[in-house]
Amino acid sequence: MLRRSAALTLLALSAFAALASMGASATRPAAPDVVSVEAYPFSAVVKWRVPDAARVVLEVGVDDRYGIWSPTTVTRDALTARTTLAGLEPATSYRYRVVARWRNGMTAEARGSFRTDPWPGSTAASAVPAAADATSATGGGSPFVLPPALPPGVTPTPPTAPPATSPLPPGTPTVESSSPLRVNGNAIFPRMVWRQCPTYYPTSIGAGINLFLGVACGSTDEQFDRLAGRAMSTVDASTPGVSGPGQVGWHLADEADISVGSASKLPQPKGAGRVTFLTLTDHFSQRAAPPPNGRGIYQGFFDSADVIGFDTYPVEGRCSLAQIDNVYWMQRELVSLTRGKPTFQWIEAGPMEHCRENQDPTPAVVRAEAWLAIAGGARGIGYFPDWWVEDIRNEVRLSNREMLALAPALLAPVAKANWSAESPVRIGARRYNGATYVIAVNTSTSEANAAFTVPGLGGRALRVFRDGRTVKPLGDLVTDKLPGLGVSVYVVPPPGW
């Protein structure tokens, strides 16, 4: 009898366990499967499978923050499909996840990683100017002053105009977005140093530099040998016959508006798959004094190169951190004056000993300037000087990693965002595959309120990319606090995610 009872008890327990397992399986959502991943230098193709009808999206990034979404695929039943993740960078490790939302509203995901192929030995660069933005002519991308909240029954007065020193100069062409630099047809966000000694290449590559404009302390042969498969580079425009692996073109004389004086004196190398990079001072801007030869020289310089950048250096050049706001406004001005060509800006990253106070850029200054330039429309960032103390190098690395992760979005056309020019917080917005990205930078050294609207936001939460903090908007209106020189890059998923 004891043995029979034990057997019956065991049978009952087994049956109960089986039923429990079936119940758990019934409530556990199905999961997508990753069938395969094919990686290339600038993209990857993920083959995935879902067992039932679902909405499917892929997220990709350099770590578990991801940051970039693919277009959404809607399935009516079980499906095996492929999604191409574009806008990637060669020789980079990425993480991704396939997210499926089932008809019952539950979600499930499958995660993985891959590494893109090295930089191609044969590269073809191009820089086609972006078309003028019709919406900008009506103020689509321009800031306006947000009206204050009023008690019920009080008639609002017309918005106050922004301060006269904030808008772009009268008559500036209505172009809000630069085009990106393209390599083998793929948009790339260059992160640059100027004429660096090859000894320092490993340190710079480790900090996220992907474009070396020329070489010092060595030959171009050494430049190509040391960089092969790891980064892009240029050679001096006075040596147009020199070529090598990873070369995307030539660089013209530094600060040529001052050092050369006239665009007619510049070399004009030409070659299929090659572009020219030009760096100017900030004297093109209405916010700076004109150069010795007058501002009339600049159109010739703008016409003479394919990718155009400048430097302003508030701390080391202008000797006043209070002028950091110029980083944003001058960048916007350059975007318009160059009529859609790719633009970039050099960020001060070390002492230059031009100022008596001997102020040096801090990590917070480097980060604020870099993201001010991007918010203003820069399609690339350079760091000068090309050697950095440890805390600066760490910030360069962190910011570059964020630029790398978000590059497809940062290179997307400027999106509309409304904000007050009377505030010290500067705003830039982009949209990519339905996701929204907003860059907010406090140009003050004191805490400041950030307030802006993004049409279509519709109450969706914003995630701060660096630290994961979440900000809940009121409809399309976002308010947040930023510390002195604080930067927040807000990421909003596409609708439905």
Side-chain angles (χ1 to χ4, degrees), residues 143-146 328-329 332 417-421 425-427 451-452:
F144 78 104
V145 175
L146 296 171
Y328 175 85
W329 290 109
R332 285 192 59 172
N418 301 316
W419 50 281
S420 171
V425 177
R426 301 290 168 250
I427 301 293
F452 55 90

Side-chain angles (χ1 to χ4, degrees), residues 37-120:
V37 180
E38 299 176 7
Y40 304 96
F42 301 97
S43 65
V45 179
V46 179
K47 184 177 181 181
W48 49 266
R49 177 172 53 235
V50 290
D52 201 352
R55 297 174 67 245
V56 181
V57 73
L58 272 69
E59 297 178 52
V60 66
V62 296
D63 50 39
D64 287 341
R65 294 175 296 178
Y66 304 105
I68 297 296
W69 284 261
S70 72
T72 298
T73 300
V74 180
T75 78
R76 297 179 180 274
D77 206 336
L79 178 70
T80 299
R82 290 178 173 84
T83 296
T84 297
L85 301 173
L88 308 183
E89 191 165 301
T92 302
S93 295
Y94 286 92
R95 297 183 184 182
Y96 71 92
R97 63 180 174 182
V98 182
V99 183
R101 186 182 299 277
W102 314 111
R103 285 176 290 190
N104 63 5
M106 301 184 73
T107 61
E109 64 181 52
R111 301 188 179 200
S113 62
F114 60 86
R115 184 171 178 82
T116 50
D117 288 346
W119 287 91

Side-chain angles (χ1 to χ4, degrees), residues 83-237:
T83 296
T84 297
L85 301 173
L88 308 183
E89 191 165 301
T92 302
S93 295
Y94 286 92
R95 297 183 184 182
Y96 71 92
R97 63 180 174 182
V98 182
V99 183
R101 186 182 299 277
W102 314 111
R103 285 176 290 190
N104 63 5
M106 301 184 73
T107 61
E109 64 181 52
R111 301 188 179 200
S113 62
F114 60 86
R115 184 171 178 82
T116 50
D117 288 346
W119 287 91
S122 177
T123 53
S126 60
V128 179
D133 185 359
T135 64
S136 65
T138 59
S142 300
F144 78 104
V145 175
L146 296 171
L150 297 175
V154 176
T155 302
T157 56
T160 304
T165 57
S166 291
L168 299 175
T172 301
T174 54
V175 179
E176 293 287 350
S177 297
S178 294
S179 63
L181 170 69
R182 294 185 179 275
V183 177
N184 293 3
N186 302 277
I188 287 292
F189 192 97
R191 305 175 301 278
M192 301 169 280
V193 291
W194 174 260
R195 291 179 56 83
Q196 188 172 64
C197 294
T199 302
Y200 298 107
Y201 287 174
T203 299
S204 293
I205 291 173
I209 299 301
N210 65 0
L211 176 55
F212 293 78
L213 296 186
V215 64
C217 319
S219 67
T220 54
D221 288 340
E222 184 179 5
Q223 169 186 334
F224 295 136
D225 289 344
R226 295 247 192 149
L227 292 178
R230 297 193 297 168
M232 304 173 287
S233 67
T234 66
V235 298
D236 194 291

